[in-house]
């Protein structure tokens, strides 16, 4: 996994594609939020945000 992240960062640095970083970050955060809400008692409160 660390090697993948290093390759991704090297790609962004070499090709000047830094606009991809916020998209990846938001997708990871939303994925983490979905996984967290499936097994949590906080799920009803988080769903009210959306």
């Amino acid at each position: 996994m660390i090697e993948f992240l290093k390759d991704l960062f090297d790609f962004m640095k070499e090709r000047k594609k830094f606009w991809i970083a916020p998209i990846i970050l938001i997708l990871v955060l939303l994925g983490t939020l979905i996984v967290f809400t499936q097994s949590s008692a906080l799920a009803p409160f988080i769903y009210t945000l959306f």
Side-chain angles (χ1 to χ4, degrees):
M1 185 67 175
I2 294 173
E3 185 176 331
F4 172 73
L5 293 175
K6 183 178 180 252
D7 287 342
L8 182 64
F9 182 73
D10 288 342
F11 168 78
M12 290 190 304
K13 189 168 64 170
E14 181 179 325
R15 306 263 180 162
K16 307 270 192 269
K17 303 279 187 187
F18 291 109
W19 56 269
I20 297 175
I23 297 171
I24 294 172
L25 181 67
I26 289 173
L27 288 175
V28 168
L29 289 174
L30 285 175
T32 304
L33 181 66
I34 289 170
V35 169
F36 177 70
T37 57
Q38 288 181 354
S39 63
S40 172
L42 297 174
F45 302 110
I46 293 175
Y47 285 128
T48 59
L49 295 175
F50 296 104

